[in-house]
Amino acid sequence: TYKAVNERLWDEKSGCYVDGLEKSGAKVSHASAHANFFPLALGLVPKDRVARVAAFLKPRGMACSVYGSQFLLEALYAAGEGDAAYSLLVSNSLRSWRNMIEKVGSTITLEAWDPSLKPNLDWNHAWGAAPANLIPRGLMGIEPLQPGFKRFRVRPQTAALDHAKLKLPTPAGPVLLEIRGNDASSWSAELVVPAGTAAEFHLPFAGAASLESDGKSVPARVLREEGGRQVIGLVPGNWKVRIKNDASGQ
C-alpha cells in the first residue's frame, strides 16, 4: 500500500497526493484535503514529502467533516504543524467545536459542524470529540511508546499558549505536565515521570536542554536529535526542563 500510494498517487509538480486514478491508470486531476491528510496521519508520507503535504493542507483549514477532523489534526501534529492545529482547535468558524457549543448550543459533539450543513444531524456523536484525545496526544504531545506506558514520548506543540497543564492517567500512575512560555527564552516544562516508566522528551526549540530534578541541576542525557532539536531521556521523578539560551549554558 505504501509503495502504491507513493508511486501512483503522488503529484510531484503540485506537491500533494491526487484523489485516485482514471480507468486508464492515469492520475485524476483533482487533489482533496482528504487524499493528503489521511496518508499523513497514517504514516504513508515519506519524510522528504511531509513539509509539502502540510503546506498543501494548511491553507484549506477545516476542509472536512467532524469525523475527518480527527485525521486532519493528527496529520498536522505529525508534521510538526502545531500552530495550524491549534488554530483549528480554538476556531469559532462554522466548522468548529466552538460553533457547536456557542452558536448551536449543544452540550455534546454533533454529527456535523452545523445544522446548515446537515439538517438531519443528531446530537450524540462521541467520535466528534476529537480534542479530547488530540489535546493530550498532539498539543501536549504525550503518547505511549510501549504497552502500559512503560516508555512514553513527550513532544509538546503548545503553539501560542503561554500556559498549559495536564494530568494524564496511565497504568503506572499519572503523568503530570505543565508548560509555560511560547518561545525558546521563556519556555519551560515541569514533568512527573511515574515509577516504572521512562520518557523521551522532545525539545520544542533548538538549543541544549537544561535539567533539574528535585531542585538540583542534572546533566541531560541526549538520546538523539530530530529536526535540529534534542530528544532527551528521563527516568522516573520530578523534572524541570528549560533550554539553554546563551553560550555560557545559562
Side-chain angles (χ1 to χ4, degrees):
T1 300
Y2 179 94
K3 182 178 179 182
V5 166
N6 283 289
E7 288 184 357
R8 307 191 69 187
L9 299 179
W10 177 251
D11 184 333
E12 177 62 27
K13 183 177 180 181
S14 300
C16 63
Y17 295 93
V18 299
D19 290 357
L21 304 174
E22 304 284 1
K23 288 184 178 180
S24 65
K27 296 183 181 72
V28 300
S29 59
H30 189 265
S32 65
H34 299 67
N36 288 272
F37 66 66
F38 277 114
L40 187 50
L42 299 173
L44 294 177
V45 181
K47 287 184 179 180
D48 61 347
R49 294 178 179 173
V50 167
R52 298 181 71 188
V53 173
F56 174 85
L57 288 171
K58 286 194 294 182
R60 287 160 172 77
M62 192 66 81
C64 61
S65 68
V66 181
Y67 182 87
S69 67
Q70 172 75 50
F71 300 93
L72 171 58
L73 270 73
E74 290 237 28
L76 292 172
Y77 280 121
E81 297 289 350
D83 289 335
Y86 176 71
S87 70
L88 295 178
L89 282 173
V90 301
S91 169
N92 64 353
S93 68
L94 185 70
R95 295 173 177 266
S96 72
W97 291 277
R98 284 182 62 188
N99 179 72
M100 296 182 191
I101 298 167
E102 297 174 0
K103 298 175 185 177
V104 180
S106 175
T107 57
I108 189 171
T109 44
L110 308 178
E111 180 185 4
W113 293 115
D114 190 84
S116 66
L117 302 173
K118 191 178 191 293
N120 67 336
L121 61 79
D122 66 56
W123 291 43
N124 63 345
H125 270 64
W127 55 244
N133 75 81
L134 290 164
I135 289 171
R137 294 176 51 244
L139 188 142
M140 299 300 277
I142 304 172
E143 290 193 285
L145 297 174
Q146 290 181 350
F149 270 77
K150 289 182 179 179
R151 285 183 61 248
F152 63 94
R153 174 176 59 214
V154 183
R155 185 169 58 192
Q157 297 187 58
T158 46
L161 285 172
D162 290 319
H163 182 213
K165 187 175 182 179
L166 181 74
K167 180 179 181 180
L168 183 68
T170 81
V175 174
L176 304 176
L177 176 61
E178 184 169 7
I179 293 175
R180 297 182 184 276
N182 53 30
D183 58 40
S185 61
S186 64
W187 181 89
S188 67
E190 294 185 34
L191 176 68
V192 175
V193 180
T197 72
E200 61 171 46
F201 197 106
H202 295 237
L203 296 187
F205 302 101
S210 173
L211 291 183
E212 290 181 15
S213 178
D214 296 321
K216 298 179 180 179
S217 180
V218 178
R221 182 167 62 93
V222 180
L223 302 177
R224 60 187 182 279
E225 284 197 1
E226 291 186 5
R229 300 169 185 175
Q230 288 186 347
V231 180
I232 59 175
L234 299 175
V235 297
N238 300 329
W239 297 93
K240 186 159 189 175
V241 186
R242 292 189 179 92
I243 296 173
K244 297 176 183 177
N245 55 23
D246 62 30
S248 66
Q250 300 299 314

